[in-house]
C-alpha cells in the first residue's frame, strides 16, 4: 500500500533531476545564462547540486519500498 506514493515520489524526483541536469548542460554548452541575474560561477554549481540531489532523492525513494 505504501509503495504507490514512494514510486510516484521517486518518478517525480528522477524526472525533475534529469530535466534540470539536461537543461543546465544545454545552457552551459550554448554559453547562455543558467539563471537570469546570477553569475554563472554561482548558478551552474547550484543547479548541478540541485539536479544531483533530486536524482539521489529519487533513488532513495526507490530503495525505501
Amino acid at each position: 500500500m505504501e509503495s504507490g506514493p514512494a514510486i510516484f515520489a521517486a518518478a517525480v524526483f528522477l524526472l525533475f533531476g534529469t530535466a534540470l541536469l539536461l537543461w543546465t548542460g544545454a545552457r552551459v554548452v550554448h554559453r547562455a545564462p543558467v539563471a537570469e541575474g546570477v553569475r554563472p560561477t554561482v548558478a551552474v554549481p547550484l543547479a548541478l547540486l540541485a539536479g544531483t540531489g533530486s536524482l539521489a532523492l529519487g533513488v532513495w525513494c526507490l530503495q525505501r519500498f
Side-chain angles (χ1 to χ4, degrees), residues 18-37:
T18 302
L20 183 60
L21 289 175
L22 288 174
W23 181 81
T24 303
R27 300 295 285 184
V28 168
V29 167
H30 295 323
R31 297 190 194 281
V34 174
E36 192 170 332

Side-chain angles (χ1 to χ4, degrees), residues 25-49:
R27 300 295 285 184
V28 168
V29 167
H30 295 323
R31 297 190 194 281
V34 174
E36 192 170 332
V38 182
R39 292 187 318 247
T41 56
V42 174
V44 173
L46 286 178
L48 292 176
L49 181 66

